[in-house]
Amino acid sequence: MYNNTDNSTYATVTNSQNGTTSYYIYLRGFNFDDIPAGAIINSWTVKLKARESGISTSSSYAPKLCHGTSQITSTCSAVSSTATTHDFTGVSADWEDIVGYGSDFGIRINCRRSNRNTTGYMYIYGAEILVDYTLPIYHFVTIQNSTSVNVSASDTNPLEGTDVTISANALSGITVKDNGVDVTSQFVQAASGTATSYPESYSTSGSISGTHYQQCIGVGVDGSSVSGNDYSSSSGSTAHIDYSFDFSEIPAGASIQSVSVRVKGHCESTSSSSEVATLQLYSGSTAKGSESEFTSTSDQTITMSAGTWTRAELQNAILRFTIGYYGGAVSGATWSVTYEMDGYVYTISNITADHTIVVSPSGGTSINIRVKQNGAWITPSKVYVKQNGTWRQATKIMGKTNGSWN
């Protein structure tokens, strides 16, 4: 933040070289730390107060916003001989870009002499960024459950305006109330879906050089062949490339129904077994399915044997491409995963307040018994009572409410 008010602050151009030499003044180092994380930015403006003496006032020399020394598209009137506050408009970068530039973001002022034999002065009185933002508001979602049914919330401290999903592994014999309103009928069967993923990153191992492996980051088998980094294995050795994938869109706890993996590529030679290019799926260091190999020097698409996968195993899914003496090329890869969610879900859309979810046995008032275990209060799954000297499991707990036992 530049907040100087002393009008003696200036920059000069004093040499007498031929031509009207230009110099740039950069005002950078704005601090955005006072804006809370998660704040909603409503609007922002950049202001500059300055005047000049002996400087060319052509509109082409008007101040510009910058990222480092690179100009950011924007509009500003030229600095004049009268101290004036200028607003920057028509900025091409959005707020997230501006914050991401950090201390490299700022204002560039062109200090160009109007005459090569004169001295130019640029007086800078201050520069600021005005940000209008709304503080983030968070709410609480609390679940009170007196049944053996597993009920959970996708987020217990959600940001206002977001959605929260309440999941139940069963609905039989229970009543669910949201802030006192019965929402049991609003639960629906948990959604199933298909997730598609392409290579997101890769790592190499072994001795790699040459021009026989083709990088395919982010390219599916139906996309055009990519160019870029090419490698092959060195003479007499092999090397492998591990492609990583992102399946974060598949909900935690999902049941994986099927996995299909298609890879496009070729090997450089088929004259011996040491020259083939093989493919193998892994979850971390554990091999999954059967090994496949490219059997042609022309591009072919292989559907691999993927085997069975759990949601946790997909978290570390890898496609390993092993190249021999002559190497090979991978120009596309696509994973297609179908999944199902067990149980039922109820969605609180556009949350604007705290929510208390009460889960109780249907057909009557429930008594929520809590016991302290290891310093924490929990709801017991079973209660035992002593009758005629014998402990037995209680099938019903009665409580007195307004003078009546229920």
Side-chain angles (χ1 to χ4, degrees), residues 197-201 216-220 243-246 319 332-335:
S197 183
Y198 308 119
E200 291 226 333
S201 62
C216 71
I217 299 302
V219 178
Y243 297 95
S244 297
F245 299 81
D246 178 16
L319 167 64
T334 302
W335 285 60

Side-chain angles (χ1 to χ4, degrees), residues 366-387:
S366 65
I367 304 299
N368 191 1
I369 296 179
R370 308 281 282 176
V371 297
K372 201 169 189 178
Q373 177 177 302
N374 298 327
W377 289 97
I378 66 169
T379 300
S381 59
K382 297 178 181 180
V383 176
Y384 289 85
V385 296
K386 198 169 187 179
Q387 184 179 28

Side-chain angles (χ1 to χ4, degrees), residues 243-385:
Y243 297 95
S244 297
F245 299 81
D246 178 16
F247 291 104
S248 58
E249 66 177 285
I250 300 178
S255 174
I256 306 303
Q257 303 301 302
S258 66
V259 175
S260 177
V261 182
R262 300 170 66 211
V263 186
K264 183 179 180 181
H266 65 268
C267 59
E268 291 295 321
S269 174
T270 58
S271 59
S272 71
S273 60
S274 64
E275 297 168 1
V276 299
T278 61
L279 300 160
Q280 177 68 58
L281 302 178
Y282 284 84
S283 176
S285 59
T286 303
K288 304 286 291 183
S290 303
E291 184 180 83
S292 301
E293 64 181 44
F294 290 129
T295 58
S296 173
T297 56
S298 300
D299 264 355
Q300 59 184 137
T301 298
I302 295 176
T303 299
M304 300 185 63
S305 169
T308 58
W309 293 74
T310 65
R311 175 63 184 86
E313 288 174 331
L314 281 173
Q315 193 72 24
N316 300 301
I318 291 172
L319 167 64
R320 176 166 293 180
F321 177 48
T322 301
I323 49 180
Y325 180 82
Y326 285 105
V330 168
S331 55
T334 302
W335 285 60
S336 181
V337 180
T338 59
Y339 63 91
E340 291 183 359
M341 292 295 295
D342 294 331
Y344 305 84
V345 294
Y346 158 67
T347 302
I348 306 172
S349 300
N350 189 27
I351 193 165
T352 58
D354 294 347
H355 285 253
T356 299
I357 308 298
V358 177
V359 186
S360 59
S362 58
T365 303
S366 65
I367 304 299
N368 191 1
I369 296 179
R370 308 281 282 176
V371 297
K372 201 169 189 178
Q373 177 177 302
N374 298 327
W377 289 97
I378 66 169
T379 300
S381 59
K382 297 178 181 180
V383 176
Y384 289 85
V385 296

Side-chain angles (χ1 to χ4, degrees), residues 76-380:
C76 181
S77 58
V79 177
S80 67
S81 58
T82 301
T84 305
T85 299
H86 304 262
D87 289 349
F88 290 82
T89 60
V91 184
S92 60
D94 61 26
W95 176 251
E96 293 301 322
D97 290 335
I98 296 300
V99 174
Y101 296 152
S103 60
D104 284 339
F105 172 74
I107 301 171
R108 186 183 77 180
I109 306 172
N110 192 319
C111 190
R112 183 182 179 91
R113 295 176 300 165
S114 58
N115 186 290
R116 67 184 181 183
N117 296 316
T118 63
T119 300
Y121 298 89
M122 182 68 71
Y123 298 85
I124 301 170
Y125 302 105
E128 64 184 1
I129 300 180
L130 304 177
V131 182
D132 177 44
Y133 63 86
T134 303
L135 287 173
I137 300 174
Y138 292 90
H139 297 286
F140 292 98
V141 175
T142 304
I143 294 181
Q144 298 176 359
N145 188 358
S146 59
T147 74
S148 59
V149 174
N150 182 21
V151 177
S152 61
S154 60
D155 192 347
T156 58
N157 190 205
L159 178 67
E160 182 165 290
T162 59
D163 297 344
V164 176
T165 300
I166 308 299
S167 302
N169 66 334
L171 288 179
S172 177
I174 69 169
T175 296
V176 183
K177 292 186 177 181
D178 179 2
N179 285 349
V181 178
D182 191 336
V183 295
T184 312
S185 62
Q186 296 183 40
F187 276 78
V188 297
Q189 182 71 44
S192 301
T194 301
T196 302
S197 183
Y198 308 119
E200 291 226 333
S201 62
Y202 75 98
S203 59
T204 59
S205 177
S207 179
I208 299 176
S209 63
T211 59
H212 297 306
Y213 154 67
Q214 189 170 27
Q215 181 180 336
C216 71
I217 299 302
V219 178
V221 295
D222 298 321
S224 59
S225 181
V226 297
S227 60
N229 297 330
D230 295 330
Y231 306 98
S232 74
S233 174
S234 296
S235 175
S237 65
T238 61
H240 65 256
I241 297 90
D242 287 345
Y243 297 95
S244 297
F245 299 81
D246 178 16
F247 291 104
S248 58
E249 66 177 285
I250 300 178
S255 174
I256 306 303
Q257 303 301 302
S258 66
V259 175
S260 177
V261 182
R262 300 170 66 211
V263 186
K264 183 179 180 181
H266 65 268
C267 59
E268 291 295 321
S269 174
T270 58
S271 59
S272 71
S273 60
S274 64
E275 297 168 1
V276 299
T278 61
L279 300 160
Q280 177 68 58
L281 302 178
Y282 284 84
S283 176
S285 59
T286 303
K288 304 286 291 183
S290 303
E291 184 180 83
S292 301
E293 64 181 44
F294 290 129
T295 58
S296 173
T297 56
S298 300
D299 264 355
Q300 59 184 137
T301 298
I302 295 176
T303 299
M304 300 185 63
S305 169
T308 58
W309 293 74
T310 65
R311 175 63 184 86
E313 288 174 331
L314 281 173
Q315 193 72 24
N316 300 301
I318 291 172
L319 167 64
R320 176 166 293 180
F321 177 48
T322 301
I323 49 180
Y325 180 82
Y326 285 105
V330 168
S331 55
T334 302
W335 285 60
S336 181
V337 180
T338 59
Y339 63 91
E340 291 183 359
M341 292 295 295
D342 294 331
Y344 305 84
V345 294
Y346 158 67
T347 302
I348 306 172
S349 300
N350 189 27
I351 193 165
T352 58
D354 294 347
H355 285 253
T356 299
I357 308 298
V358 177
V359 186
S360 59
S362 58
T365 303
S366 65
I367 304 299
N368 191 1
I369 296 179
R370 308 281 282 176
V371 297
K372 201 169 189 178
Q373 177 177 302
N374 298 327
W377 289 97
I378 66 169
T379 300

Side-chain angles (χ1 to χ4, degrees), residues 38-83:
I40 300 171
I41 306 302
N42 302 314
S43 64
W44 58 277
T45 59
V46 182
K47 293 180 176 292
L48 167 70
K49 186 175 182 179
R51 71 178 178 89
E52 58 80 21
S53 176
I55 303 295
S56 175
T57 58
S58 168
S59 60
S60 61
Y61 305 142
K64 295 291 184 181
L65 298 183
C66 64
H67 172 208
T69 59
S70 301
Q71 177 178 306
I72 296 174
T73 301
S74 56
T75 301
C76 181
S77 58
V79 177
S80 67
S81 58
T82 301

